[in-house]
Every structure is written in structure tokens, then in C-alpha cells.
Amino acid sequence: MPAVIISNGGGREYPGNLTPFVTVTCIVAAMGGLIFGYDIGISGGVTSMDPFLEKFFPSVYRKKNSDKTVNQYCQYDSQTLTMFTSSLYLAALLSSLVASTITRRFGRKLSMLFGGLLFLVGALINGFAQRVWMLIVGRILLGFGIGFANQSVPLYLSEMAPYRYRGALNIVFQLSITVGILVANVLNYFFAKIKGGWGWRLSLGGAMVPALIITIGSLVLPDTPNSMIERGDRDQAKAQLKRVRGVDDVEDEFNDLVAASEASSLVEHPWKNLLQRKYRPHLTMAVLIPFFQQLTGINVIMFYAPVLFSSIGFKDDAALMSAVITGVVNVVATCVSIYGVDKWGRRVLFLEGGVQMLICQAIVAAAIGAKFGIDGNPGDLPKWYAIVVVLFICIYVAAFAWSWGPLGWLVPSEIFPLEIRSAAQSINVSVNMLFTFLIAQVFLQMLCHMKFGLFIFFAFFVLVMSFFIYFFLPETKGIPIEEMSQVWRSHPFWSRFVEHADAGVQMKGASKV
């Protein structure tokens, strides 16, 4: 990576403060996570509401309410219902590839604006939907919006934040996702009680609120100094950097940003460049971290929480309330990550969270297996059993919320050199959405056929990903974003891929500015 100067102290230290300006800016930008979180929470809630199922998915409604002998694991198994949920993630995958070019050429702000507008239109269509095709078209537009927002917001936060606080400020994005999930769960709980059965319209149409927040926010936010330099506005970028850092002495950081941008401008094909040997560690992380994040099984809990709780014997109200409880845990545990990520480091949180999730998944699988067996007919469930299942699911959610949840977005966004940053972030978002789509597409069938073994399936991947983190992910805490290449050169495995001669090139580049 250009313009990196390696010192004995572990990297150059740039002066700067956590100013109120940058704090407010990052919080407003992170609200882009609300649209993603709200959708995750709302989709599982409305698909457990009888009026919604009766109108759009009558076969599921009949299976759920008429045939009491049906296997509980299979009552929601419907390809049309699955397409309603998962179509959004396929659209997000496609739009994130387009968003890469817009983010690189026109700045992070414009990409956020497109995301907010597309999500707004999708929410309107879903709120007024009369046919299944309207629901799916609305979901596709929501997906386009999420693809743009998830591509640009983490980059914006990593570039705007002072490196000492980058982890905490970036995780505000994940916090806003969890707040979106919680708000959606609470609204589902109350809207489901509306007489007349039209509460689901308010749930789906309510997505307009987070869409307006990110749309208006993108119009008032300043652009990042990195993005300004990338587009040739150096004087304005330097003034912006002084404002963001709260000090006048920004020469070292500014020169490193300029050198990185000059190297970036020489790259004509960033997508092709990603395949170069020296970017092997970056590409590996861009693919495997979001891949593993989805295979923790978290989306099974989050966007199917009410359906899942209903399937394991909770009444509809109880299922929605259980989803609210897990939503609260999600928000609180994410705050733990904000506190600890720049204090304890990324690896500690990743590994502790992995162990905690593994234990909880084994216990939940045993609990569900003991009561439901293979036939999926548990009879009457005692209250203590329900409490145990919800308790260990909450402990599992807490582990995810302070480890793989926020760090799955933070780490990829902070490790990419500027010349491949937009393209690599697009791969990160695309892989995330691809596996979210695939899991959403097959989850209800997997629940029907694998039954409680589904939790064992995800527990296996949690074990694998924990080993991956232990052996292959270097610690990135406290490293300036434009100096991140040093962590790869000092890593026992990745150093063989990163060219050591690159260090000399970078010091030469730094001396020219």
C-alpha cells in the first residue's frame, strides 16, 4: 500500500481529536444501518401475522391454522413465502456491484442518497401492496437501497473516524442495524394487535422512516477527505481533514492520503487488481469474513425469529415478544462491542464470541431435539422450557452482537488499500448478501428436513470460523487505515503473499510528497 512508513513503534501516529463534528457526522452516517436492520426485523414479523398470510400466502395460512397435526418444523415451508423474504438480498447483491463505481467516482454521499431513495420507493410499494408481485417488486427495490447503503456507509465511517476511535465509530453502523431490528420487532408486536388485520401495512410502510433519515442525512453530511482527494479536490480535502481531526497539523496524514490516491489513480481496473498476489489476504478476508458471518446462523434467529419461536410452540403474541427480547439483547451487546473494540482488540471479541455461540447452539439443539424429536409434535410445552430456549438464544445473540455482527463489517472496511477499497467493499457486501439470500432461500426447507440438527449445522461453521480467525486474522486495533499493510507484512502466513519490496516503494512514495 502506498505511503506507509513503518516505525519501530508500530506505525506512524497522526495527531487528531474525537471532535463533536466528526462524532455527529459518523452517527448520522451510521443511520444507514437502520434501513437494513428494520427490514431484517420487519420481514420475519409480518410473515407470522395471520392477516398477512391469509391475503398473500393462503396455503401457508391454512397449513398453520387448520391442520394441527402438521409437523411444526414444516408449517412455514413455502417457496413463494421464501421468495418474498430472500428476493431483497439478491437485489442488494446486484446493486452493491454498481454502487462500487458510484462510490469511487462520485463519492460516498451520493451512494448513500441513492440507497435512501430506492428504499423509500420500495417501502411505499410494500405498504400499499395488493398482490404478491407488488410485494416482491417492493422487496427488490428495498434490496437495491440496502446494497448502496451497505457499500458506502462502512467506508465512510472508516475514512472519517480518527484511527484510535475507528472501531467504536464504525460499530455505530452495526448498532443502528440492531436498533432497526428492535424497533421493527416492537412495531410488529403492537401492529399485530390492530383490529381489522391491516397492521402489516404499517409494518412494511414504516420502512419509509429510516429511508427518509438516510436520504436527508446524505444531503447534509460532508464528504470524506479521502473521497475528495480521489476526485481531485485537494485544497478542500485538506481543509476538511483539519475540521474532522480538530487540529491544524494534518500534513503527515494528508500527504499519506495524497500518495495513496495517486497510486490509486494509476489503477485502471481495480476489480482485476484484486486478483494480484499482494492483495491475496485482502481478497480472502473480503470473501470469508462475510461468508462466515452469515453461517453463524444469526439470520435464522433475526429475520425468522417470530416464525422460529412460533414453530417451536410459542403462540403468535409470545413469538413476537420473544423477538423483541432478542432485539433488546442485540442492542445492549452491540454497545459492549463499541466500548471494547478499541480497548481489547478485534481478535479477542471474535474468538470469545465464537466460543459463546458454539456452546449456546449445542444447548438449543439439545433442548429443541429433546422436546420436538423428529416428528415435530411436542405436545404442551412447559413454561420453564420456553424460558430456557429464549435465554440461550439471547446469550447466543449477545455473543454475535459483540463479535461477528459488528466486526464482520468493521474489519473488511478498514483493511483495504484505497486503490482497491470500493471494489473490495463491493465484494464484501456481495458475498454477505449472496449468503444471506441463499440462507433465506433454503432456511425454511432446512428447518423442515434437518429439524433441530439445523443448529448443529451452524455450530460446525462457528467452530471452523473461530479457527480461521485464530490462525489467519491479524490484529488491526490502533493501526491508521493508510498504514494497514504493515499487519500483513508482519503476519507469519500472509507475509509470503505481500511483497516485501512494497515497503521500499511506499517509503519512496512518502518522500515525494
Side-chain angles (χ1 to χ4, degrees):
M1 178 193 273
V4 171
I5 295 178
I6 300 175
S7 71
N8 294 331
R12 177 181 301 187
E13 293 190 4
Y14 303 129
N17 304 308
L18 183 60
T19 62
F21 171 73
V22 79
T23 303
V24 171
T25 296
C26 287
I27 289 172
V28 172
M31 291 302 102
L34 282 176
I35 62 176
F36 191 25
Y38 186 87
D39 181 81
I40 291 172
I42 224 70
S43 57
V46 295
T47 52
S48 70
M49 294 182 188
D50 282 351
F52 177 82
L53 292 174
E54 188 176 16
K55 181 173 180 63
F56 295 105
F57 307 100
S59 63
V60 177
Y61 173 77
R62 287 192 298 272
K63 193 189 297 184
K64 178 186 174 188
N65 291 284
S66 301
D67 186 1
K68 296 302 180 183
T69 63
V70 72
N71 189 318
Q72 291 288 298
Y73 292 121
C74 300
Q75 64 175 332
Y76 287 96
D77 187 13
S78 160
Q79 279 301 311
T80 316
L81 181 61
T82 297
M83 181 53 70
F84 162 73
T85 303
S86 60
S87 57
L88 177 144
Y89 301 101
L90 189 60
L93 187 162
L94 298 173
S95 70
S96 67
L97 301 176
V98 177
S100 166
T101 303
I102 292 174
T103 303
R104 181 180 169 90
R105 293 186 180 175
F106 303 106
R108 286 57 169 147
K109 283 180 51 170
L110 191 64
S111 195
M112 287 187 224
L113 177 62
F114 282 172
L117 290 173
L118 287 164
F119 200 86
L120 182 65
V121 175
L124 277 169
I125 293 174
N126 272 353
F128 290 103
Q130 298 297 326
R131 298 283 185 273
V132 172
W133 69 264
M134 292 180 71
L135 282 180
I136 292 176
V137 167
R139 294 282 293 170
I140 289 171
L141 289 172
L142 294 176
F144 286 153
I146 285 172
F148 274 95
N150 284 9
Q151 207 279 339
S152 53
V153 171
L155 289 185
Y156 184 95
L157 294 171
S158 286
E159 292 178 350
M160 190 65 82
Y163 71 92
R164 290 186 190 89
Y165 307 100
R166 186 178 62 242
L169 288 174
N170 198 294
I171 289 175
V172 176
F173 173 67
Q174 175 69 15
L175 179 64
S176 72
I177 292 178
T178 64
V179 169
I181 293 171
L182 175 60
V183 169
N185 287 335
V186 171
L187 292 179
N188 279 336
Y189 180 74
F190 288 105
F191 289 160
K193 296 177 180 295
I194 292 177
K195 288 184 170 32
W198 50 273
W200 62 267
R201 292 193 182 276
L202 294 178
S203 290
L204 295 177
M208 290 186 293
V209 176
L212 285 170
I213 291 173
I214 188 59
T215 301
I216 295 169
S218 68
L219 294 173
V220 300
L221 286 173
D223 220 336
T224 68
N226 312 58
S227 184
M228 290 176 176
I229 293 169
E230 206 171 11
R231 302 198 313 275
D233 300 332
R234 292 193 182 181
D235 292 339
Q236 192 178 351
K238 192 168 187 178
Q240 180 72 297
L241 189 60
K242 289 179 180 179
R243 188 181 183 197
V244 166
R245 297 293 176 252
V247 295
D248 290 330
D249 180 18
V250 295
E251 286 300 322
D252 286 347
E253 184 173 7
F254 180 73
N255 289 340
D256 281 358
L257 292 177
V258 170
S261 179
E262 287 175 346
S264 173
S265 65
L266 299 176
V267 177
E268 295 181 5
H269 306 290
W271 293 95
K272 187 178 178 182
N273 251 49
L274 270 170
L275 300 177
Q276 289 183 17
R277 181 179 173 85
K278 66 179 179 178
Y279 297 129
R280 197 70 49 82
H282 310 81
L283 183 60
T284 301
M285 296 300 162
V287 171
L288 287 184
I289 286 180
F291 167 75
F292 283 138
Q293 187 192 47
Q294 294 313 307
L295 285 171
T296 58
I298 188 63
N299 283 340
V300 170
I301 301 297
M302 282 308 167
F303 60 61
Y304 284 119
V307 169
L308 182 65
F309 285 126
S310 178
S311 290
I312 60 175
F314 291 66
K315 303 301 183 193
D316 285 347
D317 273 3
L320 288 171
M321 180 49 71
S322 299
V324 171
I325 293 168
T326 56
V328 171
V329 171
N330 202 8
V331 172
V332 173
T334 303
C335 293
V336 173
S337 189
I338 290 174
Y339 171 79
V341 68
D342 291 316
K343 188 181 295 285
W344 306 320
R346 282 66 162 152
R347 282 170 54 85
V348 169
L349 290 173
F350 264 131
L351 294 172
E352 191 284 330
V355 171
Q356 191 170 318
M357 284 191 290
L358 184 63
I359 293 169
C360 291
Q361 283 169 322
I363 291 172
V364 170
I368 294 177
K371 278 291 178 183
F372 285 77
I374 302 300
D375 62 5
N377 290 309
D380 292 328
L381 291 173
K383 189 174 182 180
W384 66 264
Y385 171 86
I387 291 172
V388 167
V389 171
V390 172
L391 175 64
F392 278 98
I393 284 178
C394 284
I395 297 172
Y396 161 82
V397 168
F400 177 85
W402 62 53
S403 62
W404 278 91
L407 300 181
W409 293 106
L410 166 62
V411 172
S413 73
E414 68 183 359
I415 63 173
F416 303 135
L418 184 62
E419 62 266 25
I420 61 165
R421 191 169 295 158
S422 291
Q425 180 67 5
S426 279
I427 288 183
N428 178 45
V429 175
S430 297
V431 172
N432 193 302
M433 293 303 152
L434 173 62
F435 282 94
T436 306
F437 167 76
L438 291 175
I439 289 172
Q441 192 68 28
V442 302
F443 165 67
L444 292 174
Q445 284 184 315
M446 288 173 73
L447 180 63
C448 182
H449 293 93
M450 294 178 70
K451 305 173 175 60
F452 60 88
L454 183 61
F455 290 92
I456 301 297
F457 171 81
F458 287 120
F460 167 76
F461 280 101
V462 170
L463 182 64
V464 172
M465 66 185 74
S466 296
F467 277 108
F468 171 78
I469 293 297
Y470 183 80
F471 289 107
F472 297 109
L473 182 70
E475 182 56 68
T476 57
K477 178 187 75 171
I479 308 292
I481 195 169
E482 298 306 331
E483 291 199 20
M484 197 61 72
S485 67
Q486 64 176 294
V487 302
W488 306 114
R489 285 202 300 275
S490 60
H491 191 273
F493 179 79
W494 295 119
S495 58
R496 73 189 71 177
F497 295 97
V498 179
E499 300 165 6
H500 286 276
D502 192 37
V505 173
Q506 290 170 24
M507 292 189 72
K508 183 179 177 183
S511 67
K512 288 181 179 179
V513 292

